[in-house]
């Protein structure tokens, strides 16, 4: 059995368990009370929602990992040290047991008081957050938790579950069918057939056979502490960069914010191995790290997050609006920020994801063009974005192949772009052609394509493929509540014509604000919005800007 594949943190115990100074302790005490505990008294139990947070004034606490009713010492919390990790912020069930190692005196504060404290005391906030994150990373590295995943490295569902758990910072142990001789024993123990893999053993009791993300979340109780009945100031749908930005700004400015995310936080950016063009990160930042930081930041400010929950519809006929979830559940909101992004149409190639960001790109900006100066490149697609990319890349690349499945470009591309392509000597159009294979090691090295008419297959040593086959916005779930353009991207602000507003029965004398849809108080940000530039930075910018208009709507 191996531990889940996270890098070891390399943090020292001092960093994970810093001691508060007497002055800092007194600032915590101002929000709580002193409490004396006897030796061996259990203060927080494993698998319970955290309600208290402690600082040790005298004595010490044992932090225990619990597996199959066996306890193992994870850490000792000594003088001036404090308890807690990410579950204190999220309100999810705890991963460890905390027990007094000896008779001790503590400062005890309630979780709500701690959440208020981290929003007002920036010094303590930094100390707590830093320690909580390091502790969670260490728990993940040691596979602490009560989840075992049994699967195969060749199975897409195993990959999905691993990715889901990792992106939700959930520790787990992984047993690989192909590599681990003990698998059969484990399967026998839980009466599972090999054909039922991947299997997740949750809390050592519940056996989930190829569970959906929703089933995983239900078993782990991720969403159980979140109230869904009271009217929120703002509900954000989608926790990609746009939604997370809205959540951070909204919650930090005092709004009662709930985020509804169909999968895991991070959106498309969360899956990006390295984002190199995001301001302030000169050496790039992985999507996972960016999303993780934003997620923690949103929770620090008090935003709550429903994970693995699809918004199925918007009840838009009266205010407050309500987001429709599974099973007729409705969550009411005064304002809504739609940040559900778009799905890039992808080439149906088995190993595509291996080369995404490593030779396969979905945008052709200056950054990507730097990767292929003087090289041959392939562009797949016959729309305007493909045409623009071809003309742009032809300035620096040696040769640009444009591959389309149709007979010509006339139906899909603007005339001026077709002419530019025809006039540019190093652009070559290949019609009736589709990519059939990609190959390479760490990076794309060669592409095979086939002419559908002649059946002829060509293989070219090319390390850059630009997939420009368009994006489909995730807006169908809105069932016509807001006006969209012909491709389904949501129209906002001045893009909404008089006719659009008349058709939508816009009820106010004012025009829609920037980023506001045809429904007052409902905003659209990021990739799902018509006219948006599909970049992490613009998604983050729009998510944060929308919040200032949310304030104005709430004040109306
Ligand atoms: C492979 C790849 C690499 C990229 N690299 C870069 C890069 O290097 N630099 C850059 O600037 N941009 C990059 N981009 C583009 C960038 O990732 C997107 O522009 C950005 O993520 C858009 O953010 P968003 O929040 O609008 O949408 P998304 O990131 O798509 O997030 C939308 C979220 O909404 C959720 N959702 C959808 N429907 C529902 C629903 N009904 N209910 C609840 N939740 C829902 C989704 O699960 C998702 O988490 C890349 C994109 C891809 C695909």
């Amino acid at each position: 059995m191996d531990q889940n594949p996270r890098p070891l943190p390399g943090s020292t115990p001092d960093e994970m368990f810093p001691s508060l100074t007497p002055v800092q302790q007194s600032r915590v005490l101002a929000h709580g009370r002193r409490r004396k505990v006897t030796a061996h008294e259990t203060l927080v139990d494993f698998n319970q929602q955290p309600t208290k947070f402690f600082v040790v004034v005298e004595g010490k606490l044992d932090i225990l990992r619990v597996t199959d009713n066996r306890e193992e010492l994870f850490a000792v919390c000594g003088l001036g040290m404090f308890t807690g990790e990410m579950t204190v912020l999220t309100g999810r069930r705890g991963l460890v047991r905390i027990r007094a190692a000896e008779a001790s005196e503590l400062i005890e504060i309630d979780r709500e008081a701690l959440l208020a404290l981290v929003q007002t005391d920036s010094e303590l906030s930094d100390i707590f957050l830093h320690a909580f994150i390091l502790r969670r990373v260490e728990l993940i590295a040691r596979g602490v938790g009560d989840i075992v995943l049994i699967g195969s490295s060749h199975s897409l569902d195993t990959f999905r579950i691993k990715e889901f758990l990792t992106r939700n910072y959930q520790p787990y142990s992984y047993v690989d069918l192909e590599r681990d001789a003990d698998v059969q024993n484990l399967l026998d123990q839980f009466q599972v057939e090999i054909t039922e893999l991947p299997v997740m053993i949750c809390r050592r009791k519940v056996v989930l056979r190829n569970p959906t993300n929703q089933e995983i979340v239900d078993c782990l109780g991720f969403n159980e502490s979140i109230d869904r009945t009271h009217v929120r100031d703002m509900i954000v749908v989608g926790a990609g960069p746009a939604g997370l930005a809205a959540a951070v700004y909204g919650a930090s400015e005092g709004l009662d914010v709930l985020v509804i995310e169909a999968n895991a936080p991070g959106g498309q950016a969360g899956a990006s191995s390295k984002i190199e063009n995001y301001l302030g990160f000169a050496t790039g930042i992985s999507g996972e790290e960016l999303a993780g930081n934003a997620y923690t930041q949103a929770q620090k400010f008090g935003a709550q997050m429903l994970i693995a929950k699809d918004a199925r519809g918007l009840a838009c006929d009266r205010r407050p609006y309500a987001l429709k979830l599974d099973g007729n559940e409705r969550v009411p909101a005064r304002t809504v920020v739609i940040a559900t992004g778009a799905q890039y149409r992808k080439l149906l190639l088995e190993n595509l994801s291996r080369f995404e960001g490593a030779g396969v790109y979905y945008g052709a900006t200056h950054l990507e063009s730097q990767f292929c100066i003087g090289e041959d490149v392939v562009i797949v697609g016959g729309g305007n974005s493909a045409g623009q990319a071809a003309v742009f890349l032809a300035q620096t690349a040696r040769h640009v192949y444009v591959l389309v499945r149709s007979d010509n470009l006339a139906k899909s591309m603007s005339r001026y772009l077709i002419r530019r392509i025809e006039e540019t000597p190093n652009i070559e159009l290949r019609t009736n052609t589709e990519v059939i294979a990609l190959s390479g090691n760490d990076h794309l090295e060669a592409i095979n394509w086939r002419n559908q008419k002649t059946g002829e297959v060509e293989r070219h040593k090319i390390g850059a493929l630009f997939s420009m086959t368009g994006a489909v916005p995730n807006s169908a779930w809105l069932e016509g509540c807001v006006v969209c353009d012909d491709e389904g991207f949501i129209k906002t602000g001045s893009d909404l014509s008089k006719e659009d507003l008349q058709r939508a029965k816009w009820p106010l004398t004012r025009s829609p604000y920037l980023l506001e849809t045809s429904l007052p108080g409902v905003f659209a940000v990021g990739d799902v919005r018509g006219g948006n530039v599909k970049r992490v930075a613009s998604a983050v910018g729009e998510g944060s800007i929308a919040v200032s208009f949310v304030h104005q709507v709430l004040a109306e």
Side-chain angles (χ1 to χ4, degrees):
M1 185 180 293
D2 57 45
Q3 304 292 288
N4 62 3
R6 296 283 295 222
L8 273 167
S11 47
T12 65
D14 284 355
E15 284 175 307
M16 268 193 293
F17 288 93
S19 293
L20 300 183
T21 64
V23 174
Q24 289 165 340
Q25 290 180 32
S26 64
R27 299 213 301 271
V28 180
L29 182 60
H31 293 259
R33 61 204 84 82
R34 281 194 182 250
R35 174 173 163 187
K36 288 198 165 144
V37 292
T38 53
H40 312 303
E41 189 175 334
T42 298
L43 301 169
V44 174
D45 210 356
F46 163 73
N47 203 14
Q48 301 296 313
Q49 281 172 3
T51 55
K52 307 269 187 243
F53 168 88
F54 302 96
V55 181
V56 179
V57 180
E58 216 178 287
K60 58 184 175 198
L61 305 177
D62 285 339
I63 315 283
L64 302 157
R65 167 187 185 166
V66 186
T67 321
D68 287 336
N69 291 329
R70 273 182 294 112
E71 292 179 345
E72 187 190 318
L73 192 64
F74 176 75
V76 175
C77 210
L79 281 186
M81 296 177 194
F82 52 88
T83 61
E85 59 92 43
M86 292 307 293
T87 48
V88 175
L89 292 183
T90 58
R92 292 179 190 165
R93 295 184 215 159
L95 300 169
V96 292
R97 178 175 288 155
I98 302 175
R99 195 164 51 211
E102 56 193 54
S104 306
E105 185 166 350
L106 313 170
I107 297 170
E108 173 188 87
I109 76 169
D110 296 336
R111 175 173 170 257
E112 285 70 32
L114 178 74
L115 294 180
L117 179 64
V118 294
Q119 286 175 41
T120 49
D121 189 321
S122 64
E123 187 194 24
L124 286 177
S125 167
D126 286 353
I127 295 170
F128 294 157
L129 272 186
H130 190 227
F132 289 176
I133 292 169
L134 291 180
R135 290 172 193 179
R136 173 53 64 107
V137 173
E138 180 71 16
L139 288 166
I140 290 174
R142 293 209 218 163
V144 175
D146 220 5
I147 295 173
V148 180
L149 177 66
I150 309 165
S152 153
S153 44
H154 304 299
S155 140
L156 276 179
D157 279 312
T158 303
F159 178 77
R160 167 182 61 80
I161 296 173
K162 278 176 142 188
E163 187 185 36
F164 182 75
L165 293 171
T166 304
R167 283 177 67 177
N168 278 294
Y169 308 96
Q170 179 63 40
Y172 67 98
S173 303
Y174 176 62
V175 185
D176 195 290
L177 177 66
E178 274 88 30
R179 284 192 289 148
D180 209 305
D182 290 337
V183 170
Q184 198 58 54
N185 286 343
L186 208 66
L187 292 180
D188 291 347
Q189 204 185 332
F190 289 94
Q191 292 151 20
V192 175
E193 300 289 327
I194 278 196
T195 50
E196 292 173 306
L197 295 182
V199 159
M200 196 174 120
I201 302 167
C202 183
R203 310 259 175 251
R204 306 265 154 188
K205 287 191 190 92
V206 185
V207 179
L208 302 173
R209 290 160 169 84
N210 194 8
T212 60
N213 294 348
Q214 168 85 61
E215 286 169 328
I216 297 172
V217 159
D218 288 347
C219 182
L220 296 174
F222 276 8
N223 295 330
E224 62 194 10
S225 65
I226 297 176
D227 176 52
R228 304 170 199 186
T229 53
H230 76 271
V231 185
R232 304 281 178 162
D233 293 331
M234 177 171 98
I235 289 189
V236 181
V237 188
L244 287 172
V248 166
Y249 281 85
S252 69
E253 291 168 19
L255 299 180
D256 177 3
V257 178
L258 176 69
V259 183
I260 299 174
E261 166 54 51
N263 188 18
Q268 291 170 55
S272 180
S273 54
K274 202 169 198 184
I275 300 165
E276 304 221 27
N277 55 353
Y278 190 55
L279 184 76
F281 294 90
T283 53
I285 180 167
S286 76
E288 191 186 338
E289 197 181 346
L290 184 71
N293 285 341
Y295 182 42
T296 306
Q297 201 177 8
Q299 286 176 321
K300 169 184 126 170
F301 287 120
Q304 292 189 312
M305 225 161 289
L306 281 177
I307 296 298
K309 275 275 169 211
D310 273 75
R312 303 262 180 208
L314 177 66
C316 57
D317 50 346
R318 71 177 70 114
R319 294 176 81 171
Y321 301 117
L323 272 304
K324 300 181 197 168
L325 307 181
D326 293 327
N328 281 336
E329 195 181 356
R330 287 173 181 232
V331 193
R334 291 186 187 90
T335 65
V336 177
V337 175
I338 301 164
T340 44
Q343 308 259 348
Y344 288 84
R345 288 198 191 94
K346 295 196 174 183
L347 298 174
L348 293 173
L349 298 169
E350 203 191 352
N351 57 356
L352 177 74
S353 60
R354 214 170 97 203
F355 300 116
E356 283 178 329
V360 172
Y361 307 105
Y362 294 92
T365 66
H366 180 70
L367 176 80
E368 287 91 5
S369 73
Q370 300 299 301
F371 303 147
C372 41
I373 295 175
E375 309 277 338
D376 291 357
V377 303
V378 164
I379 293 172
V380 180
N384 280 351
S385 57
Q388 283 159 2
V391 173
F392 172 67
L393 292 169
Q395 295 168 19
T396 45
R398 183 172 57 188
H399 197 80
V400 178
Y401 293 94
V402 178
L403 311 188
V404 290
R405 284 198 292 195
S406 58
D407 276 338
N408 59 57
L409 295 174
K411 275 197 200 133
S412 52
M413 196 181 287
S414 301
R415 184 64 222 147
Y416 83 96
L417 277 170
I418 298 178
R419 201 173 321 120
R420 298 268 301 272
I421 287 178
E422 288 165 354
E423 287 165 0
T424 309
N426 62 337
I427 302 182
E428 182 178 340
L429 175 66
R430 296 291 190 98
T431 55
N432 303 303
T433 301
E434 74 180 332
V435 174
I436 53 169
L438 304 176
S439 46
N441 291 311
D442 295 341
H443 196 279
L444 179 67
E445 288 167 18
I447 304 171
N448 292 19
W449 63 71
R450 180 174 50 213
N451 184 304
Q452 289 155 309
K453 273 199 171 162
T454 63
E456 190 191 341
V457 174
E458 293 178 42
R459 178 179 170 81
H460 291 255
K461 287 203 161 179
I462 293 180
L465 183 150
F466 293 84
S467 182
M468 312 295 289
T469 48
V472 184
N474 294 321
S475 61
W477 64 276
L478 286 156
E479 299 164 322
C481 273
V482 296
V483 173
C484 296
D485 65 18
D486 293 343
E487 292 174 71
F489 289 96
I490 301 173
K491 283 188 163 188
T492 55
S494 58
D495 287 348
L496 286 157
S497 65
K498 250 188 183 164
E499 295 72 44
D500 286 334
L501 294 176
Q502 265 164 12
R503 202 156 33 95
K505 300 194 174 73
W506 175 259
L508 307 177
T509 48
R510 67 162 176 84
S511 306
Y513 293 126
L514 187 76
L515 306 174
E516 194 173 24
T517 67
S518 55
L519 208 53
V522 176
F523 297 83
V525 293
D527 279 11
V528 74
R529 195 180 70 78
N532 158 274
V533 179
K534 294 189 172 34
R535 295 276 179 279
V536 172
S538 45
V540 168
E542 290 182 13
S544 40
I545 293 168
V547 172
S548 64
F549 296 108
V550 163
H551 285 294
Q552 296 192 38
V553 170
L554 291 173
E556 276 173 357

